[in-house]
């Protein structure tokens, strides 16, 4: 079972949320993934009317088959504020993670990690609260980048201010890149290697694709 660490109270204001991010950001670790990553969890949030639908799927990394999943519906308790999405989406995602019977080796978030104005995106937040390795795989860039080469596996640095915060990674030849950033307990090299393993056919990793399908089905 995944234990959720009680590192902060859930804020009610933007100022409180920003202060929490600033306090927790220095705790992010940039060391490597486990030597053997056997399972990876995809995390995604869908919106259905006034509800959030948080979906988590756990995949066997070798076969890419789903070995566990959980869905939690809830009412957003924090407003839609850029840079503070974690305070809106993390609570139902944490509830879904706590319902899993399989503890994944790594969390793959549909969002950002260090590619964030305060270097503390959703992947960092969830990684710290669960103390699990985590990475962010965004569909859009948070920062500046040069287009990578057209071949699969090509990448260029993703920069925010003067920092390299991730990579624009080409998962399929001739298809738009995804934007990978470290969340917690992972190096950028290891994160990109894992994303390529999880995306053998499509632009997005299978972790994201399966969680998205599960959340959309539950929201209908």
């Amino acid at each position: 079972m995944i234990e959720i660490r009680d590192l902060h109270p859930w804020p009610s204001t933007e100022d409180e949320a920003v202060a929490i991010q600033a306090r927790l950001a220095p705790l992010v670790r940039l060391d490597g993934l486990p030597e053997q990553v056997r399972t990876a969890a995809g995390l995604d949030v869908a919106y259905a009317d006034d509800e959030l639908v948080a979906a988590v799927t756990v995949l066997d990394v070798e076969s890419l088959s789903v070995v566990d999943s959980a869905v939690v519906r809830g009412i957003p308790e924090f407003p839609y504020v850029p840079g503070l999405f974690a305070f809106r989406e993390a609570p139902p995602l944490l509830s879904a993670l706590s319902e899993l019977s399989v503890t994944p080796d790594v969390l793959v978030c549909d969002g950002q990690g260090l590619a964030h104005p305060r270097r503390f995106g959703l992947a960092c937040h969830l990684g710290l609260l669960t103390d699990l390795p985590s990475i962010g795989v965004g569909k859009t860039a948070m920062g500046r980048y040069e287009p990578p080469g057209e071949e699969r596996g090509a990448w260029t640095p993703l920069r925010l201010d003067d920092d390299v915060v991730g990579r624009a990674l080409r998962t399929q030849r001739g298809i738009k890149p995804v934007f990978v950033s470290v969340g917690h307990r992972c190096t950028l090299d290891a994160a990109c290697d894992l994303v390529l393993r999880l995306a053998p056919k499509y632009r997005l990793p299978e972790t994201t694709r399966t969680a998205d399908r599960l959340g959309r089905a539950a929201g209908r």
Side-chain angles (χ1 to χ4, degrees):
M1 175 180 287
I2 296 175
E3 294 187 9
I4 309 303
R5 300 198 291 175
D6 184 16
L7 296 182
H8 64 80
W10 289 98
S12 57
T13 69
E14 293 183 33
D15 287 346
E16 290 172 351
V18 169
I20 289 168
Q21 289 180 333
R23 179 169 62 84
L24 295 184
L27 303 181
V28 168
R29 287 167 45 192
L30 306 180
D31 47 22
L33 283 169
E35 192 169 312
Q36 292 290 330
V37 177
R38 296 182 175 85
T39 55
L43 294 84
D44 188 60
V45 173
Y47 290 81
D49 298 323
D50 294 329
E51 286 188 313
L52 296 180
V53 182
V56 178
T57 53
V58 182
L59 274 61
D60 176 276
V61 171
E62 290 301 321
S63 66
L64 298 181
S65 58
V66 176
V67 297
D68 198 5
S69 65
V71 176
V72 168
R73 303 176 72 108
I75 303 297
E77 297 185 2
F78 197 85
Y80 185 89
V81 181
L84 299 177
F85 292 148
F87 297 98
R88 183 178 177 88
E89 298 187 350
L93 285 170
L94 291 168
S95 295
L97 284 167
S98 67
E99 293 187 3
L100 295 174
S101 58
V102 174
T103 299
D105 293 323
V106 60
L107 308 180
V108 182
C109 301
D110 178 32
Q112 313 294 343
L114 293 178
H116 180 274
R118 287 171 291 280
R119 309 302 184 263
F120 199 72
L122 177 65
C124 299
H125 210 139
L126 291 173
L128 269 181
L129 290 180
T130 60
D131 200 28
L132 290 172
S134 60
I135 63 178
V137 183
K139 302 181 187 73
T140 57
M142 178 70 75
R144 311 180 315 277
Y145 70 99
E146 296 294 329
E150 291 295 309
E151 68 275 11
R152 170 176 157 85
W155 61 268
T156 55
L158 178 66
R159 301 179 187 274
L160 191 57
D161 303 321
D162 294 325
D163 299 329
V164 174
V165 294
R167 289 177 185 169
L169 177 66
R170 191 87 67 183
T171 54
Q172 300 300 323
R173 182 176 181 83
I175 301 297
K176 290 192 299 184
V178 296
F179 302 94
V180 180
S181 57
V182 170
H184 182 52
R185 293 180 56 192
C186 184
T187 65
L188 189 51
D189 282 340
C192 290
D193 289 346
L194 179 61
V195 170
L196 288 172
R197 290 179 67 189
L198 295 171
K201 295 181 179 180
Y202 302 102
R203 179 191 179 218
L204 296 177
E206 289 301 306
T207 39
T208 300
R209 286 166 47 80
T210 53
D212 176 73
R213 284 199 299 266
L214 179 61
R216 288 178 184 276
R220 286 199 291 266

